[in-house]
Amino acid sequence: MTTRSEKLRGVFLAMLLVCSLIATAGPLVGTGSATQTAGNTSLLTDGPNWYGQEFAIDVTQSSGGEFTAQSGDTVYLLEVDESTESINRTARVLTVNSSGYIDLDTGDLETSGRQAYALNDDNELNSGAVNFTLEPQTLDLEWESNTTASDSESVALETVESNRGAGDYNVTVRADGLDYEQLRALFIHPGTDLTEVTDRNHLPLEKLGFEREDGDGVDDMRSAGYITLNLSTSTNFRQDGEIIANFSNLEANATAPDDGAYQFETVVTDSNAEDTATIRIGGADADFERPLYTRAAGDVASFNVTLDSADQTWVQLRDTDSAFVDVLYLEDDDGDGQVTFHANTRLMGTDHSRLSGVSAGDSEVVYHSNDDTVQSYIHHEVIPARSGTEVSDARFYDAEGVNSSDEVDFAQYVQSVNGAAPTEQLSRPLQPTTYELVTDRRGRFTIDDGDAAVDRPLGETELDLVQSTVRDFDTYVAPEKAPDSQRSIDELEPNLTSRDTAAIGDRLVLRFNTTGIGGALAAIDYARNRHSIDTGLSEGYGIDVFSELAIDSDGTDWEGEGVNFTLLGEDRLNQPRDRLVLDDGDNQDAYVLLDQQTAEGDPGNLYAVIDTGSPAYEDAITDDEQYDAELTYVAGGRFEFSGQGPQGGKGGDVTDPTFPYHGTVVTENVTEREAVSFASTDLSFDAVEDGTVGLAPTRDARVAGDTNLAPGTELTVGVRLAPPSDTLPDEDPSFLAQREITVNPDGSFNATFDLSGRSVGEAATVRVERGQTTVESSDAEFVDIGAVQGPYFETELDAPATAKRNETVNITGTVTNTGEEAGTAEVTIAVDGTNAVRGIFDLDTGESQRINHTVQMEQSDIDVQVESQDTSQGATVQYESDTDPPDLTPTPTQATATPTSVVDGPQATPPPADSGGGGFPWLFVGAGVAATLAVAAVLAIRWV
C-alpha cells in the first residue's frame, strides 16, 4: 500500500515523464501529413488521447519515470479507477522492444467511456507509473441537403460533429457505387482546401483490412474505392466543421453516377470513430406548379416552383418575341421543396427606384417571397448598382453554347437580344400578351437565333397577361361594423345583402368587376405603409392607398394612371354636384378589398366598404341623399413612361391621364356607374293599435316588426313595465325581459318572451336598440290575446319510433295557422340540433303546410324536432340493432306552445316530470318475477 506522499510524488514524476516523452518522441512523427494517423506512432499527452490511436512510449531511463525497463522486459498496462486510485484490472502485458519503447495499439481496448490507464514494470500501481487517459471519439456526419444534382454547380456540405472538435485528424471516405476518381472529383477541387493523404505511414491500412507488412499502400486503397483527406489543411473544416463536396465536378470530369442514393462511409484514420451519411444524387428538376398562369395586366402574379434534387434554380422571363427579358434566382429557404413568389406586373422591368417613397434597394416592391428567396437581375443587381446578390452568379453568352470566350455581362446580353438597356426595354408597362418562364439548371443563358434562351432547361410555364377592364357593378349593405374589421372577402361576403339603399349607420358596399390595378395599389401600399406586395391581396388596402390611385388624382404620383373613382350627387341645374370624398375618413371609415382575376372567365372584384354612419361623412350622407358611384378607366390614348421611372401618361405626359392598358383603338372611357341612396333608420312594430303595441301576458309573448337596417344586424329587444314618463312600480328591474336578435333576410325581426306573470291592462314599453343607441320605442299594453289574436302557428311531428342501421327515416313536420288572422309561418325540421330543412308559408286561418326530410339511420339514436315561431315538438328515433328485440314503445312525444327566440334558435320541449312510480318498462320486470316464481313452485311440488 502506498502512502499519500508517495502518490503525490508519483504524480509529479509522471508529469516529468510525460514532458520527457513529448521531448523525445518528436523524431518519430511522420512527414506525410500534419495530422498523426493510424499506422504511425503518436504523442502520448495528458489528454484527451483517443481509442484507436497507436503510441510508442519510451520506458527507459530517459522517460523520467522511476522504473527503467530494458529491452525484452515486461511492462503492464493497468486500468485505473481514478475515484479510488486503485487498479481495476490488468488490461495488457507488453514487452519492451529493442529501442526501449512500448508499442501500444489502443484499437482493441474497451471503448465504453473515458478510462484512466497506467504503465508500470510490475502488476501494481506505484509511484513509477506512466499515467494517461483514453476517450472514445464521437462522429456525426450529415449532408446539408438530402438530395443534390450531379451536374449542379451548387456546393453540398457535409457537416462533421465530434467531441474531438474540428481539429487535427484525418478521415478516409468510401461510397458504394463511386470509385476513387469520382471521390477525388468530389472532394479535391478549387472550391475547397482539402488535400489527399498518400503516405502509407499515415493510412489506416490495418483498420480497413489491408496488410502493411505485405506492402499494401495508397494504390491498393484507391483500387478499393477509398480516399484519405488531410483535414488539417482545410480552413473550412477547422473553422466550420465542413467537408465541401462539389458535385458539378462529376459531370465536368464525365464521371457523373447514375441517379440514386449513395451512402458515404467515413472513418477517422487514427481513432475508432466512424459514421455514414446518405445523399441522393440525381438530375435536378425544377418546374412550375401550373403550365399556365393567368393575370390581368397590371395585377400581382403569384408563382410556385417545385424543386427536386436541388434547393435553388434560375428562371428566364421573356415575352415570346424577346422584346423583354429578365433573369430570376430562386432558392428554397424553408426546406419544403418549393419556392413561392409574387411579381408586380405593373413595375416589372422598370426603374422602381424612381417611385416616391421607394429606394433602389426596395426590390421587394417588384418581387417578393414570404418564405423563400426570389431575386431579379434587373431589380436586385442592375438598379441597386450590382449589390452582389445570388442572382449575379448567372452567366450570359452571346452565342448558342456556353463558352468562356463568348461570355458577356447582363447588359450586353440584353443589348444583343433587343438592343436596349435592361431598364429601358419597355416604353410602357408589360402589356397583355404571353410571357415565357423557363427554369435553368445552372444559370447559364445563351442567344439562339437572336432570341434569349437557356442552356439547360428544366421546366417552363407561361404567364398570360389578359386585358384589364371594368365590367359590372353591384351594391350591397352589411350590418354596422368598422369597414376594416373584416379584411377578407370570404369574411365579408356572408354579411352582404343586395340593396341600392343603405340605412345610415350600416355599411354600404360597392362591388366592381375590375382588374389591372392590383400592382399599382401594391406599390402605393409598399411605399406608404411598407406592406409586402401580397399583403393587400389577403388583408385589403386602406382608403389612403386607394385614394392616391383613384380618388385624389390631382397632383399625385399616380395622376397619369387614368383610374378615377367618384361618388357624385344629383346633377342640379347651374349648381355643382355634391361629392362624397372617401379619403375624408380613415380605414375605420372606408376600406377596400381586392380579389384578382385568376382565369380568363373569372373576373376580379374590388369592394369599397363605407361606414355610412361615420362622423367623417355626416355632412355628405343624409336622409334621401343619392349619389352616382362610378369607377372609370380613362381612354386618353397610348400610355408611355415619362422617362422618370414607372409612371407616365398619354405620350409620357403625367398630367394627361390614360389607362396604361388601353391601346390607341380605345377612344371612350370604360366606366361602370350605379346610383346609391341613403335613408334614416326606420323600424316599425307589428300588432299596433292606436300607436300602442299589444302584448300577450303568456309564455310566448311576441314582439315583431320590420326595419330597413341591413339583414344580420344585431338588435336588442326589451320590454319594460311602464311608459318612460310613468312612475315605475315597486318591483325591479324595470325591464321584464330583454333578448338579442338579428334582422331577418326580408328585413323583419321577432322576439318571444315569457310574460305569463303579467295581467291584462298593464302598461309597458317596448324598445329596440342597436349597440348603445335606441332605434325605436313604443308604448305597449298587455291585452287578451284570445280576443285579439293574430296568426298562431302550431306544429305536429311525424317520425318513426325506431329504425335500423342504414334504414331511411322519413320525418314530416306540419304547421297549422290556428290564429284568427292570416300570417307567415316559419317552420324548420332539426336533426340532432342542426337545422336540416326550412320552409316559409303564407297561411290563412286554419290552413296547414307540411315539410319533409329524410335521414339515414346510424348506430345511435337521433333527436328530431319541428319548430315554428310559436310552438315546437320533438321526439327521439331509437336505434334498433338487428339482434335486439323490437321495441314497440316510442319515446314520449310532447307538443307544447314554447316561446322560441329567433337568436337562440329551436328550443326543445322539456321532458315530462317523473311520476315517481309505474311506467311501461316495469311490466317486463313484473313478468320476469312472476315467471321465476312459477318455475320455482313447479320444481318444489315435483320435489315433494
Side-chain angles (χ1 to χ4, degrees):
M1 179 69 70
T2 58
T3 65
R4 180 174 179 83
S5 60
E6 288 175 330
K7 294 176 181 178
L8 293 173
R9 181 171 177 269
V11 171
F12 173 75
L13 292 175
M15 293 175 62
L16 292 177
L17 176 58
V18 170
C19 294
S20 173
L21 288 171
I22 295 174
T24 58
L28 297 176
V29 177
T31 59
S33 169
T35 299
Q36 309 313 313
T37 61
N40 174 58
T41 54
S42 298
L43 297 179
L44 182 64
T45 67
D46 287 335
N49 301 291
W50 307 98
Y51 283 104
Q53 291 180 316
E54 299 177 12
F55 304 101
I57 305 173
D58 183 2
V59 294
T60 62
Q61 188 171 7
S62 62
S63 67
E66 286 194 353
F67 73 92
T68 55
Q70 304 297 319
S71 175
D73 288 352
T74 297
V75 175
Y76 298 90
L77 176 66
L78 307 176
E79 186 179 285
V80 179
D81 186 335
E82 289 185 296
S83 62
T84 61
E85 297 184 355
S86 60
I87 301 173
N88 286 338
R89 66 186 182 90
T90 300
R92 191 175 296 171
V93 178
L94 306 166
T95 301
V96 181
N97 63 23
S98 58
S99 300
Y101 283 80
I102 292 296
D103 293 322
L104 177 59
D105 183 357
T106 66
D108 56 356
L109 292 176
E110 293 185 7
T111 59
S112 59
R114 182 184 184 277
Q115 179 61 54
Y117 292 92
L119 279 172
N120 211 342
D121 55 354
D122 53 25
N123 201 6
E124 64 180 48
L125 192 63
N126 58 40
S127 59
V130 175
N131 298 279
F132 61 95
T133 60
L134 292 176
E135 294 189 28
Q137 180 183 348
T138 61
L139 185 68
D140 183 18
L141 304 181
E142 183 178 356
W143 290 101
E144 185 181 60
S145 175
N146 293 327
T147 60
T148 187
S150 61
D151 58 353
S152 173
E153 285 192 358
S154 61
V155 177
L157 302 177
E158 186 179 42
T159 302
V160 182
E161 293 185 0
S162 174
N163 59 350
R164 194 170 174 179
D168 291 334
Y169 62 91
N170 296 338
V171 293
T172 298
V173 182
R174 179 180 182 275
D176 286 336
L178 299 179
D179 58 24
Y180 163 76
E181 293 297 337
Q182 290 170 308
L183 293 176
R184 181 176 177 83
L186 279 176
F187 296 113
I188 309 298
H189 54 81
T192 185
D193 44 14
L194 291 170
T195 57
E196 183 183 1
V197 177
T198 58
D199 189 335
R200 65 191 302 271
N201 292 322
H202 299 273
L203 300 175
L205 295 168
E206 293 84 357
K207 180 186 296 188
L208 300 177
F210 297 94
E211 298 294 336
R212 189 183 304 273
E213 292 76 8
D214 294 343
D216 289 349
V218 65
D219 291 338
D220 301 281
M221 290 185 61
R222 288 174 174 175
S223 297
Y226 290 100
I227 187 171
T228 301
L229 304 175
N230 187 346
L231 302 184
S232 65
T233 64
S234 171
T235 302
N236 290 318
F237 177 72
R238 297 181 66 84
Q239 292 183 351
D240 302 318
E242 295 175 348
I243 300 175
I244 300 177
N246 190 333
F247 286 86
S248 66
N249 283 353
L250 294 173
E251 184 180 81
N253 296 340
T255 58
D258 295 335
D259 292 355
Y262 291 84
Q263 184 181 73
F264 284 73
E265 303 169 1
T266 304
V267 300
V268 177
T269 56
D270 68 338
S271 80
N272 292 345
E274 59 184 49
D275 195 20
T276 61
T278 301
I279 189 170
R280 175 170 289 278
I281 303 175
D285 185 18
D287 204 358
F288 289 88
E289 181 182 34
R290 302 178 188 173
L292 176 68
Y293 292 85
T294 300
R295 277 293 185 272
D299 280 344
V300 176
S302 301
F303 301 92
N304 182 273
V305 180
T306 300
L307 301 177
D308 186 20
S309 301
D311 56 7
Q312 70 277 315
T313 191
W314 280 262
V315 178
Q316 181 166 266
L317 165 67
R318 72 181 187 101
D319 61 7
T320 52
D321 60 1
S322 287
F324 170 76
V325 62
D326 192 9
V327 165
L328 310 179
Y329 170 80
L330 310 180
E331 183 172 345
D332 174 23
D333 292 336
D334 59 2
D336 64 353
Q338 298 180 344
V339 174
T340 300
F341 68 97
H342 310 277
N344 189 335
T345 67
R346 175 59 182 83
L347 299 181
M348 290 163 61
T350 68
D351 187 350
H352 63 261
S353 67
R354 297 299 188 100
L355 284 174
S356 177
V358 176
S359 69
D362 287 328
S363 305
E364 293 278 298
V365 74
V366 186
Y367 288 96
H368 169 75
S369 176
N370 290 307
D371 302 310
D372 304 302
T373 295
V374 55
Q375 294 173 357
S376 153
Y377 216 107
I378 292 176
H379 295 279
H380 289 80
E381 279 293 311
V382 174
I383 295 174
R386 289 173 173 76
S387 57
T389 56
E390 287 89 342
V391 73
S392 64
D393 291 337
R395 294 291 179 266
F396 304 93
Y397 302 89
D398 193 2
E400 293 184 10
V402 173
N403 190 309
S404 59
S405 62
D406 297 317
E407 186 171 350
V408 294
D409 62 25
F410 179 67
Q412 293 170 322
Y413 179 75
V414 174
Q415 181 73 30
S416 295
V417 170
N418 54 42
T423 58
E424 296 176 358
Q425 302 178 74
L426 303 173
S427 61
R428 53 182 178 156
L430 293 182
Q431 293 297 297
T433 189
T434 301
Y435 296 83
E436 179 185 75
L437 291 89
V438 182
T439 56
D440 181 74
R441 193 182 301 271
R442 298 185 304 165
R444 299 294 181 260
F445 302 96
T446 61
I447 296 177
D448 184 5
D449 195 21
D451 291 333
V454 299
D455 178 43
R456 298 185 178 181
L458 298 175
E460 64 182 59
T461 190
E462 289 183 343
L463 170 62
D464 186 18
L465 291 185
V466 298
Q467 179 62 51
S468 309
T469 188
V470 181
R471 301 181 189 175
D472 299 326
F473 177 26
D474 300 290
T475 60
Y476 302 89
V477 293
E480 178 186 40
K481 213 178 189 77
D484 64 343
S485 62
Q486 294 178 322
R487 296 197 172 193
S488 75
I489 293 174
D490 288 342
E491 189 179 5
L492 173 67
E493 280 190 329
N495 299 274
L496 301 181
T497 299
S498 179
R499 285 185 188 172
D500 57 11
T501 299
I504 297 175
D506 285 341
R507 284 173 290 169
L508 174 66
V509 181
L510 311 175
R511 184 183 71 179
F512 296 89
N513 292 145
T514 183
T515 56
I517 60 175
L521 291 173
I524 297 169
D525 198 26
Y526 181 91
R528 278 179 169 267
N529 306 308
R530 312 311 289 179
H531 290 161
S532 61
I533 60 175
D534 65 320
T535 299
L537 300 180
S538 58
E539 298 184 14
Y541 299 99
I543 196 59
D544 59 331
V545 173
F546 186 61
S547 172
E548 183 168 340
L549 174 66
I551 298 177
D552 184 13
S553 60
D554 294 334
T556 70
D557 291 340
W558 297 87
E559 177 184 356
E561 203 76 3
V563 180
N564 293 329
F565 173 84
T566 57
L567 280 163
L568 296 177
E570 296 179 21
D571 192 359
R572 296 172 292 182
L573 183 63
N574 298 325
Q575 293 187 45
R577 301 175 71 179
D578 292 336
R579 181 185 293 268
L580 174 56
V581 182
L582 295 186
D583 59 344
D584 285 345
D586 56 24
N587 293 348
Q588 293 185 338
D589 304 309
Y591 204 70
V592 172
L593 302 178
L594 187 67
D595 179 23
Q596 292 194 137
Q597 180 177 9
T598 56
E600 190 73 58
D602 176 27
N605 291 307
L606 181 140
Y607 292 74
V609 186
I610 305 166
D611 178 9
T612 63
S614 167
Y617 310 134
E618 61 184 353
D619 292 334
I621 296 179
T622 59
D623 189 25
D624 292 331
E625 188 79 40
Q626 179 173 304
Y627 288 94
D628 285 333
E630 182 177 300
L631 181 63
T632 299
Y633 288 176
V634 177
R638 178 187 169 96
F639 179 99
E640 292 183 5
F641 293 132
S642 65
Q644 298 297 317
Q647 286 152 343
K650 179 180 178 181
D653 184 356
V654 295
T655 65
D656 191 356
T658 187
F659 191 59
Y661 307 102
H662 286 163
T664 54
V665 296
V666 181
T667 57
E668 294 184 4
N669 295 343
V670 180
T671 302
E672 284 296 332
R673 179 190 300 111
E674 190 165 324
V676 295
S677 302
F678 303 99
S680 297
T681 301
D682 180 62
L683 185 143
S684 61
F685 294 100
D686 292 345
V688 178
E689 186 173 350
D690 296 331
T692 301
V693 176
L695 299 175
T698 62
R699 291 178 55 196
D700 54 357
R702 182 167 177 261
V703 177
D706 295 282
T707 180
N708 66 346
L709 290 172
T713 298
E714 295 180 354
L715 299 176
T716 302
V717 181
V719 179
R720 187 173 179 164
L721 271 180
S725 59
D726 288 3
T727 303
L728 296 178
D730 294 336
E731 56 197 271
D732 193 48
S734 59
F735 273 97
L736 295 176
Q738 205 165 251
R739 175 156 293 177
E740 292 183 356
I741 61 158
T742 58
V743 177
N744 297 321
D746 62 355
S748 65
F749 68 90
N750 58 75
T752 56
F753 304 92
D754 183 359
L755 301 177
S756 57
R758 309 323 306 167
S759 301
V760 172
E762 283 188 285
T765 295
V766 293
R767 186 168 74 186
V768 179
E769 297 176 327
R770 178 174 62 175
Q772 303 299 317
T773 303
T774 297
V775 178
E776 188 62 72
S777 64
S778 175
D779 292 340
E781 183 180 359
F782 289 95
V783 297
D784 185 355
I785 195 66
V788 185
Q789 184 178 2
Y792 188 76
F793 302 104
E794 292 187 355
T795 52
E796 181 180 351
L797 173 65
D798 182 17
T802 63
K804 295 182 179 181
R805 185 183 182 187
N806 296 327
E807 184 178 347
T808 298
V809 177
N810 297 308
I811 307 164
T812 300
T814 303
V815 59
T816 303
N817 182 0
T818 61
E820 297 179 357
E821 297 179 3
T824 301
E826 299 178 14
V827 59
T828 58
I829 290 178
V831 177
D832 287 335
T834 301
N835 286 346
V837 63
R838 178 171 180 258
I840 299 177
F841 306 106
D842 293 327
L843 301 179
D844 289 332
T845 299
E847 187 178 3
S848 299
Q849 281 284 359
R850 290 191 302 176
I851 59 174
N852 301 292
H853 182 62
T854 60
V855 64
Q856 191 173 37
M857 193 68 180
E858 299 292 342
Q859 291 179 281
S860 61
D861 298 347
I862 59 173
D863 294 325
V864 297
Q865 181 170 297
V866 62
E867 178 183 38
S868 73
Q869 59 260 51
D870 297 321
T871 60
S872 66
Q873 189 175 25
T876 299
V877 182
Q878 295 181 328
Y879 166 66
E880 179 184 337
S881 171
D882 293 337
T883 59
D884 292 342
D887 185 0
L888 302 179
T889 306
T891 301
T893 300
Q894 182 177 8
T896 57
T898 334
T900 304
S901 165
V902 175
V903 171
D904 296 341
Q907 294 183 346
T909 303
D914 192 350
S915 63
F920 185 72
W922 288 102
L923 293 177
F924 292 103
V925 178
V929 172
T932 302
L933 292 176
V935 172
V938 171
L939 292 175
I941 293 171
R942 294 186 64 182
W943 181 76
V944 171

